[in-house]
Amino acid sequence: MEKASGDKAFALGSGWLAGAVAFPTVVRAGQVVLFAVGVGVHRGGLASIAGGVIVGSGAAVAGLACEAVSQAVATETAVRLPWTPKVSLGTLSSSTWEAAVRLLAHPWLSASASDSLALVAEAVQTPVAAHAFSGMAVFLLFGGRFFAVAPSHVCFTGAYAKQWASLPARGASYATTTQKRTLRGLARRAGCHSCGVRRTAHWVADHMPPNAVVQQVEQRQQSTVIRRLLAYVFRPSRQPQRFYPQCRPCSQQQAAVLAKAAVGPWGRSALKLHSVASFLRPRYLWLPVGFVLLPRHPKPG
């Protein structure tokens, strides 16, 4: 009995380890794809949609990897897992797929609300959907944000920017010694707002938005007679800025980008992938919550 319990724990532990490695690996691969196509956190809604898809895909792959490895180990050790093994999309019948297409294409053609709820209930119990939705929920529960999965843009507030980890800036003036000391303390908790690294020898108090961008906007306001007249009449206030902690490499990358052009587009040269160490944060911890939604073996009578 004890051996069977140990074998089952080993099978489940091996599966979880496979899922825990697969999830951040898939998310990292998704980030690289977004970097290649030039989609960063500054793209707003597009970054949120892409981030949600990446997190859901990573959670689904992690769940299926966990299920496959656990089942393989369980088969070798002749133990029975608590859930019904399903490692394919074939668990949905053809009629269910047809109903899903009708529901998505023409919601008003669905027979009744109960049919729609039954469809959702059946879909959620498929491995891909169960692992994807539960993984996305855990990601958000641990403080993750879908748009922040995308690479940072060094000329915008980054993926790890937190309002509580910033300080108000007085125009273009550099941070004072006291502000720099405060930001160093905040950086150890929040990390670089661009790449997420928490340990570095030098921290920079980064103006957001950068001074060069604010100056460029102000110059545009004075570029024509009409714009100067409008600026004189309405007297627009200077764009508020804040100091965010930034590591030296990200600061140097920002300086190089702004030296070329103060206002975008900058392309991939302005994007910054997250540091590998940032994947140790709780949001990237995969938990096998999806198995709660899957059908279980009936208890032997």
Side-chain angles (χ1 to χ4, degrees):
M1 187 67 178
E2 292 181 359
K3 183 179 184 302
S5 299
D7 290 341
K8 182 181 291 187
F10 178 71
L12 296 176
S14 300
W16 173 81
L17 183 60
V21 172
F23 179 59
T25 301
V26 173
V27 173
R28 182 63 169 187
Q31 288 180 349
V32 173
V33 172
L34 293 181
F35 178 85
V37 298
V39 176
V41 294
H42 64 295
R43 299 298 294 272
L46 179 59
S48 296
I49 294 173
V53 171
I54 290 172
V55 171
S57 300
V61 171
L64 296 181
C66 173
E67 193 171 343
V69 172
S70 296
Q71 190 61 36
V73 175
T75 301
E76 290 294 326
T77 55
V79 298
R80 196 181 192 188
L81 297 177
W83 64 81
T84 302
K86 294 181 178 180
V87 201
S88 70
L89 283 169
T91 51
L92 280 178
S93 63
S94 59
S95 61
T96 303
W97 282 114
E98 293 174 2
V101 173
R102 291 198 307 271
L103 183 65
L104 293 175
H106 302 289
W108 57 87
L109 295 181
S110 57
S112 65
S114 60
D115 292 342
S116 302
L117 293 175
L119 173 63
V120 172
E122 184 176 355
V124 168
Q125 292 193 54
T126 62
V128 172
H131 296 312
F133 290 134
S134 62
M136 294 166 72
V138 171
F139 179 80
L140 295 174
L141 183 64
F142 284 166
R145 298 169 294 175
F146 291 145
F147 77 90
V149 172
S152 294
H153 193 298
V154 293
C155 298
F156 292 85
T157 50
Y160 295 93
K162 299 288 191 301
Q163 184 76 9
W164 57 264
S166 66
L167 298 174
R170 293 186 177 181
S173 302
Y174 290 109
T176 63
T177 302
T178 302
Q179 288 176 319
K180 291 179 180 179
R181 187 184 306 112
T182 302
L183 279 175
R184 282 196 295 268
L186 295 173
R188 285 192 288 269
R189 297 168 55 195
C192 170
H193 78 96
S194 296
C195 71
V197 67
R198 285 175 170 167
R199 294 185 178 182
T200 183
H202 302 284
W203 289 104
V204 177
D206 182 33
H207 273 95
M208 275 292 125
N211 287 332
V213 174
V214 174
Q215 292 171 3
Q216 185 76 3
V217 172
E218 292 177 344
Q219 289 175 3
R220 285 185 175 181
Q221 292 175 350
Q222 302 293 328
S223 60
T224 64
V225 175
I226 295 178
R227 288 183 175 180
R228 286 199 296 270
L229 179 61
L230 292 175
Y232 177 80
V233 173
F234 295 101
R235 298 186 182 278
S237 58
R238 181 183 174 89
Q239 187 173 0
Q241 295 172 276
R242 297 188 69 85
F243 288 124
Y244 287 88
Q246 191 177 50
C247 66
R248 182 63 61 84
C250 289
S251 178
Q252 292 173 343
Q253 180 178 349
Q254 181 193 87
V257 170
L258 291 175
K260 296 178 181 178
V263 175
W266 294 276
R268 284 178 295 178
S269 63
L271 295 183
K272 181 72 175 182
L273 283 173
H274 302 186
S275 67
V276 176
S278 66
F279 284 87
L280 298 176
R281 300 187 182 216
R283 72 193 67 171
Y284 293 115
L285 174 65
W286 180 78
L287 298 177
V289 180
F291 290 103
V292 177
L293 303 174
L294 296 178
R296 293 175 172 271
H297 284 304
K299 294 182 179 180

